[in-house]
Amino acid sequence: MSLRIFALWLLLGSAVGAPAAAQHLYATPEVGWTELRGATIGGRVGLHVVGGLELVGQALLFFPDEDGVADPGVAVSRGSWQLNGNVLYHFDPSRAIPPYAGLGMRYARAHLSLPVDGLRSTSTRAGWKPNLILGVRLPRLPADPFLEWKNSNGLWVVTGGARVRIGR
């Protein structure tokens, strides 16, 4: 059901006509942290459509800490990544620190591999989940930095970056 609501939201958002001057594309690298998966790096591409509406595609790669997962000396391999499609709305961009909120969908994949009794045991989880996003922009600083909190099914990620405008 959430995927249908997101698809409808995306369709309605992209159907809004806007003058070309109101639209601009940007890209940005991101860094972040999540309690469960640890440090993360990634990037995003966004398009300001009209007014405060923005469409964002995002990719994040996590670097989970492998200490304590198994006994010392055991060759553990863990990894996780996610792709996100989000619709954001920016409230009152004239504020010094304008907030924004959004909804989206993420596809995530996590794996764990370790030796058990001489054999390698592997577990992988993947799937779609909805995102809830809250953030702030700091537009009066160079490169338009942002700080964002994302929650998906009880797992949170905090990321930050600085937007680099593409084109005009």
Side-chain angles (χ1 to χ4, degrees), residues 86-125:
N86 303 311
V87 177
L88 306 177
Y89 183 77
H90 296 263
F91 302 96
D92 191 9
S94 65
R95 290 176 145 183
I97 301 177
Y100 62 89
L103 296 172
M105 289 297 291
R106 74 162 169 98
Y107 179 80
R109 183 178 189 278
H111 76 275
L112 171 66
S113 179
L114 63 127
V116 177
D117 296 329
L119 301 172
R120 184 147 292 275
S121 176
T122 301
S123 176
T124 301
R125 293 179 67 185

Side-chain angles (χ1 to χ4, degrees), residues 38-101:
T40 183
I41 62 168
R44 73 166 58 190
V45 175
L47 176 66
H48 288 275
V49 181
V50 65
L53 191 63
E54 180 179 343
L55 303 176
V56 175
Q58 178 186 46
L60 295 173
L61 177 62
F62 298 90
F63 298 94
D65 185 5
E66 295 174 350
D67 292 339
V69 174
D71 291 332
V74 175
V76 173
S77 172
R78 287 196 326 169
S80 181
W81 57 266
Q82 64 179 244
L83 300 174
N84 299 279
N86 303 311
V87 177
L88 306 177
Y89 183 77
H90 296 263
F91 302 96
D92 191 9
S94 65
R95 290 176 145 183
I97 301 177
Y100 62 89

Side-chain angles (χ1 to χ4, degrees), residues 4-46:
R4 289 182 192 155
I5 292 170
F6 173 71
L8 179 61
W9 179 270
L10 190 60
L11 180 64
L12 291 174
S14 64
V16 174
Q23 299 181 3
H24 68 272
L25 186 65
Y26 71 87
T28 181
E30 289 183 75
V31 296
W33 179 263
T34 178
E35 184 177 28
L36 183 61
R37 303 261 194 283
T40 183
I41 62 168
R44 73 166 58 190
V45 175

